[in-house]
Amino acid sequence: DQLASGSDDKTIKVWDAHTGEVVRTLTGHTYHVNSVCFSPSGDQLASGSCDKTIKVWDAHTGEVVRTLTGHTYHVNSVCFSP
């Protein structure tokens, strides 16, 4: 099992929920990360940031799949549909 956290340091960390070890650190946002959420399949991770973007990440590689723009202020929450 994994856990994801977003931080004011502009990063997302993916953690092993059993050992507490950091599995990977995702970088790409230019401001605080307010929200992170795994997709129902666990294959992707979405993040919302004060940089006004949403990023969709490959949860296995940590690579950005796409960046969504259009908000005019901070993104405070992200959520995948089931």
Side-chain angles (χ1 to χ4, degrees):
D1 293 339
Q2 293 186 328
L3 173 73
S5 61
S7 174
D8 285 355
D9 69 3
K10 306 182 246 181
T11 70
I12 298 155
K13 292 201 182 289
V14 179
W15 308 79
D16 182 306
H18 298 291
T19 66
E21 297 291 320
V22 174
V23 175
R24 69 180 38 88
T25 300
L26 311 181
T27 60
H29 281 294
T30 58
Y31 211 58
H32 307 170
V33 178
N34 294 328
S35 181
V36 293
C37 179
F38 279 101
S39 66
S41 67
D43 292 329
Q44 293 184 319
L45 182 71
S47 58
S49 171
C50 288
D51 66 10
K52 304 185 253 180
T53 69
I54 298 163
K55 291 191 182 291
V56 180
W57 309 80
D58 182 305
H60 304 292
T61 66
E63 296 295 318
V64 175
V65 175
R66 69 184 43 90
T67 300
L68 308 175
T69 60
H71 283 286
T72 59
Y73 206 65
H74 304 164
V75 177
N76 295 314
S77 181
V78 294
C79 181
F80 283 94
S81 66

